Amino acid sequence: MRNPYAAAYVAGAVGTGALGVLVSVRNATLGHAPPYAARNIARHVLGRLFGRKLSRHEASRWAFALRAGYGPLLGMGWGLVRRRTSKWTLLHSGVLLGLGVLAFERAAFPVFKATALANTWSRAEHAWLFAQTAVFGVVTEATMRWLVKEEPTTP
């Protein structure tokens, strides 16, 4: 793909799509959706914004919209900074992206009061958040590498 910004957008969307499968496994394993599930975030943040409690159906629809925008935007942000890591292994570069997303989310959740406090989460919920951000990072980076063929530098 010639346009690196379009490639980054698509890569973020593919990374987000990969989370769909993982989220089903995560929720089944936990027995519930964790506090940072997109529908819970939509229910908290948008409920406050709209001044009313969102129904489960509304929260699910908003969650889809949030993921549809958030993942591709993260991909575009990664596309702007990834040049320094493009020579790293896929796993190292992808996990770095995942750790960046994890750090961003851990900082943003309390600021926006998007979730219950992290110290109330179970160890399994913390582990799943790490896993899902790592999967997003690796899949996004793998897609970027597939879409954008690095041009060899000539002296």
Side-chain angles (χ1 to χ4, degrees):
M1 186 173 274
R2 282 190 128 85
N3 185 331
Y5 301 109
Y9 185 88
V10 170
V14 171
T16 300
L19 291 181
V21 174
L22 186 66
V23 163
S24 299
V25 173
R26 177 200 70 195
N27 292 352
T29 302
L30 291 173
H32 62 277
Y36 49 80
R39 72 170 177 247
N40 290 337
I41 291 173
R43 191 173 260 166
H44 283 102
V45 175
L46 296 175
R48 274 196 318 278
L49 182 68
F50 297 152
R52 64 179 177 81
K53 185 175 179 176
L54 298 180
S55 72
R56 184 176 176 94
H57 180 70
E58 288 175 310
S60 292
R61 286 182 24 211
W62 277 106
F64 177 80
L66 290 172
R67 282 189 304 267
Y70 181 63
L73 288 175
L74 287 173
M76 289 183 72
W78 180 243
L80 294 173
V81 299
R82 74 177 281 275
R83 247 185 208 285
R84 293 183 186 255
T85 67
S86 63
K87 302 296 184 225
W88 294 7
T89 68
L90 169 62
L91 186 62
H92 287 112
S93 188
V95 169
L96 178 65
L97 168 56
L99 288 172
V101 172
L102 178 66
F104 170 75
E105 290 182 353
R106 292 296 304 265
F109 290 163
V111 169
F112 293 105
K113 296 180 180 142
T115 66
L117 295 175
N119 65 358
T120 65
W121 303 355
S122 70
R123 285 185 181 172
E125 289 168 340
H126 283 283
W128 275 106
L129 182 58
F130 172 79
Q132 72 184 52
T133 57
V135 165
F136 172 83
V138 170
V139 171
T140 299
E141 177 61 18
T143 305
M144 282 291 293
R145 288 175 187 223
W146 183 70
L147 291 174
V148 179
K149 305 296 181 221
E150 299 295 330
E151 298 290 326
T153 34
T154 54

